[in-house]
Amino acid sequence: MPEVRTWQLAAGAAVVGLALAAGAVAAAGPWDSGQRKAEREWAAAQSPSGGAHHQVPGPKRPAPAPSAPGVLTALGAPATAPAPAPASASVPGDLAEVLAPLLGDPGLGPVRTASVVEVATGRRLYEHGAADPMTPASTIKIATSAAALSALGPDHRIPTTVVVSKDGEELTLVGGGDPTLGRAALGTLADRTVRALRDRGTGTVRLTYDTSLYSGTSRHPIGPNGNLAPVSALMVGQGRINQTATGYATRTGDPAGDAARTFERLLTERGVDTSALVEQALTNSDNDIAEALARQTALATGEEASFRGAERAVTKQLAKLKLPLTGARFADGSGLNRADKLSAGLLTALLARAADPAHPELRPVLTGLPVAGFSGTLHGRYGDTSPGTGLVRAKTGTLTGVNALAGTVVAPDGRLLAFAFLAGNTPSATAAEPALDRLAAALAS
């Protein structure tokens, strides 16, 4: 554990195990308000799995109210979602007639697959190469998120801790894997730690840091890239050097060292709800959070917190959810690795499972999806006159030559549909994205 710096305090004596509770600090955003917050709390209450660092039990409070069932199922739909219909189930001719020409758009390149299912029943409404493994780009975050929620529970907290040596002269900042740790929160926590040390009377302390929670290489196979910082158990603001919150940015090559220097003095334990992280990862297509979620899944399932360990953990967790994994590969959690493989059928199965009343812990997979024309990576897509605006909620996927869109849409008859459209060898994003948007919008009209 390398020494970062030495700093002076006027007074105070550190004690072994010093920690200051600061409460949960969650990034502001749509995932933290209204319906989503109530649904997240209800899912956490229903989930058999839980996270560490829960609050001390207090007076019994009323259970959070569950979400209205009409949000996820059509009127008159069964209370529980039955198993998906067999592949031989009939396909409505009108839907095939609408989607097939759109799927043939040259903007989608020579390789394209599709899957559309009715969420309430699992019935397959349309498919084209739905079982074929494709490079999914960022739509893989749907799988990463489902695995993390399943393994950790939606109320799991990711801690960052400060450990004091027995002689009180060394403090170690221990990274817990929260990439959204913010500078403002660190300043507040540092002030509280300084006050505690002064109360106990110390002179000089040495600050070190520990990133041993994660193993293996910290560098993604794509190398240094503005889409992703080196994967570290300790970082501040996703390693962004500028003040941007989302998108491409200059990243530090030493996120842990920068985080320790940002602390100035000390920080104490803090955590962020896993479901809040999931929604932020999906809404903004945040690669740093996605890689952190993959490693947290690895830790929760007994695997090493590395790229390879995370791949084993995500695969194992999705297998427990009885999802069609033939040909699937999760080489990373973010979708930046072209070795990733998912089928359109797997993506729609994931979305349907997230809506299943038997799996409330997976609900943030749906609530975190960007809304067409309004939020996240779909904010600038779909126009005012598009039938998909406000109705399509979907995760985007973009690499050079790869474009994908997977999510949900409410059909005109009130049914909630899950869809996935994946295209390979596309000529350009500017040609492929409008074609994908038209496919999803057609389901809403």
Side-chain angles (χ1 to χ4, degrees):
M1 293 181 285
E3 177 179 330
V4 177
R5 64 179 300 180
T6 301
W7 46 273
Q8 301 288 334
L9 289 177
V15 295
V16 176
L18 172 67
L20 299 176
V25 181
W31 42 82
D32 223 20
S33 62
Q35 174 72 19
R36 295 185 182 192
K37 184 175 181 181
E39 193 165 73
R40 170 161 53 87
E41 292 174 349
W42 174 70
Q46 302 298 314
S47 176
S49 57
H53 304 274
H54 291 294
Q55 295 179 344
V56 177
K60 186 175 181 180
R61 296 176 296 175
S67 302
V71 172
L72 297 174
T73 58
L75 292 175
T80 58
S88 60
S90 61
V91 176
D94 56 347
L95 188 55
E97 291 172 2
V98 169
L99 295 183
L102 294 173
L103 196 64
D105 190 306
L108 295 177
V111 184
R112 66 289 297 268
T113 63
S115 174
V116 180
V117 303
E118 184 180 26
V119 170
T121 65
R123 184 186 178 209
R124 300 176 188 175
L125 303 181
Y126 177 80
E127 57 184 21
H128 176 82
D132 298 344
M134 297 277 287
T135 300
S138 281
T139 59
I140 201 173
K141 291 183 176 75
I142 294 174
T144 304
S145 298
L149 289 166
S150 176
L152 300 164
D155 204 32
H156 180 74
R157 298 162 69 86
I158 301 176
T160 299
T161 58
V162 173
V163 178
V164 185
S165 62
K166 290 183 178 180
D167 61 10
E169 295 182 357
E170 181 174 280
L171 302 111
T172 302
L173 179 66
V174 183
D178 176 13
T180 66
L181 199 61
R183 291 175 175 80
L186 296 184
T188 300
L189 298 179
D191 290 342
R192 295 179 180 180
T193 303
V194 169
R195 288 197 296 269
L197 292 173
R198 285 175 176 169
D199 289 343
R200 289 167 173 81
T202 191
T204 301
V205 295
R206 186 170 61 255
L207 175 63
T208 68
Y209 61 91
D210 180 359
T211 62
S212 62
L213 184 68
Y214 290 175
S215 57
T217 178
S218 64
R219 287 286 184 188
H220 191 280
I222 62 172
N225 190 284
N227 288 306
L228 179 72
V231 182
S232 173
L234 178 62
M235 67 169 65
V236 174
Q238 296 131 312
R240 296 170 180 272
I241 292 178
N242 58 22
Q243 297 302 308
T244 61
T246 62
Y248 192 94
T250 304
R251 310 290 182 126
T252 176
D254 181 20
D258 283 359
R261 286 183 284 271
T262 299
F263 280 128
E264 293 292 335
R265 296 178 177 88
L266 289 175
L267 290 175
T268 188
E269 182 173 337
R270 70 178 287 272
V272 177
D273 293 343
T274 302
S275 58
L277 288 177
V278 162
E279 291 186 329
Q280 189 174 351
L282 292 171
T283 300
N284 295 326
S285 198
D286 194 296
N287 299 308
D288 300 281
I289 297 177
E291 296 298 350
L293 290 171
R295 279 163 175 72
Q296 292 293 321
T297 303
L299 292 168
T301 57
E303 297 285 353
E304 67 175 16
S306 63
F307 281 108
R308 290 185 178 181
E311 179 175 2
R312 291 191 295 269
V314 169
T315 303
K316 180 167 56 177
Q317 209 59 36
L318 296 183
K320 289 183 179 180
L321 292 172
K322 303 186 186 308
L323 293 163
L325 297 177
T326 302
R329 187 185 173 192
F330 307 95
D332 67 2
S334 61
L336 291 171
N337 195 325
R338 290 176 182 270
D340 292 325
K341 297 296 176 186
L342 262 71
S343 68
L346 173 55
L347 284 168
T348 51
L350 277 162
L351 292 164
R353 191 71 83 245
D356 189 338
H359 290 281
E361 76 280 5
L362 303 182
R363 199 60 49 77
V365 171
L366 298 183
T367 58
L369 295 173
V371 179
F374 284 93
S375 65
T377 54
L378 287 184
H379 180 270
R381 289 167 62 166
Y382 294 82
D384 294 340
T385 60
S386 171
T389 300
L391 294 178
V392 170
R393 303 186 65 159
K395 181 69 198 74
T396 56
T398 307
L399 293 173
T400 301
V402 175
N403 295 92
L405 193 67
T408 64
V409 62
V410 179
D413 60 7
R415 290 179 299 168
L416 181 66
L417 307 181
F419 65 86
F421 304 113
L422 292 88
N425 298 326
T426 55
S428 68
T430 55
E433 288 178 356
L436 291 170
D437 294 346
R438 285 191 289 269
L439 279 162
L443 299 174
S445 60

